[in-house]
Amino acid sequence: MLATVPGAEGTSQVVVFNLKDPKEPVIEAMYPTGNCGSGLALGPSQHLLVGCGGGKPLLILDAVSGKEVTNVAETKGADEVWYNPGDNNFYAPSAFGGNPTLSVIDADSNALVNSLPAGPGSHSVAAFRGNNHIFVPIAIPTAAAPTDTCNVMFGLPEKQGCIAVYAHEK
C-alpha cells in the first residue's frame, strides 16, 4: 500500500507499507517528496503522480525506487490527483493563485497535455473510465473567491456550488 504523509516544511514523503499481516503492517520504504504530500495516483510504468501544496510543482516518482522521474512545473499547488486508465491521463485540479485549472498530464510521456479552466476552490477530482468524463467540484463563493462561478456561468442557484464535468472533444 502506498500513502502520502504530509510533514512540516520540506519533510513530506510517500510511504510503502507491506500489509502481508494487516494487524502488523511493516513500512518497506519511505520516499522523500519535499513539500509534496497530498494526493497520490498510480499510473502505468509504476509511475506515481504526487500532489504538492504550497505552490510547488507536481512530482512524478518511480513507485519501485522512489526516484523522481520528472516534475510538472506548469501545475502548482494541486491537492487531490487522479489517474484515468480509460484515456491514460493523470488529472490534477489546482486553485493555487488566481487562475484555477485542471491539468491533464499524459501518463506515458509525463507531459502536460492541457490546462483547462476550473472554478474557485478546485482541489478534488474523479474520473469515470467508461466514458472518460472528469468531475471537479466547484466551491461556493468565499471572501477570497467572491465570484459564484456555478451561478454566473451555468445559471445554477446561488451559493450552492456545483460539479464541473469535463469530456473529450469528439
Side-chain angles (χ1 to χ4, degrees):
M1 181 176 87
L2 300 161
T4 53
V5 179
E9 184 67 28
T11 64
S12 297
Q13 54 192 334
V14 171
V15 178
V16 181
F17 293 95
N18 179 329
L19 299 177
K20 185 175 180 180
D21 179 358
K23 292 182 180 181
E24 294 186 36
V26 174
I27 295 176
E28 287 190 346
M30 295 185 290
Y31 307 144
T33 58
N35 288 334
C36 298
S38 50
L40 186 65
L42 179 63
S45 302
Q46 298 297 309
H47 286 179
L48 293 170
L49 179 65
V50 185
C52 300
K56 303 294 182 193
L58 294 170
L59 284 180
I60 297 180
L61 302 179
D62 180 292
V64 177
S65 69
K67 292 182 180 176
E68 183 175 331
V69 173
T70 190
N71 68 52
V72 183
E74 302 90 348
T75 302
K76 296 176 172 66
D79 185 9
E80 185 177 330
V81 294
W82 194 279
Y83 171 67
N84 179 24
D87 61 9
N88 197 41
N89 288 321
F90 287 113
Y91 291 92
S94 175
F96 184 78
N99 189 20
T101 60
L102 173 64
S103 293
V104 182
I105 301 151
D106 180 274
D108 284 330
S109 68
N110 301 314
L112 181 71
V113 174
N114 209 338
S115 190
L116 304 168
S122 297
H123 70 94
S124 297
V125 61
F128 176 57
R129 70 188 256 170
N131 60 9
N132 296 320
H133 286 174
I134 311 305
F135 306 91
V136 177
I138 306 218
I140 60 173
T142 64
T147 301
D148 190 339
T149 302
C150 301
N151 174 262
V152 172
M153 290 183 70
F154 308 116
L156 298 172
E158 292 182 4
K159 299 179 184 174
Q160 301 294 309
C162 60
I163 297 175
V165 180
Y166 297 81
H168 291 267
E169 293 180 327
K170 295 190 184 213

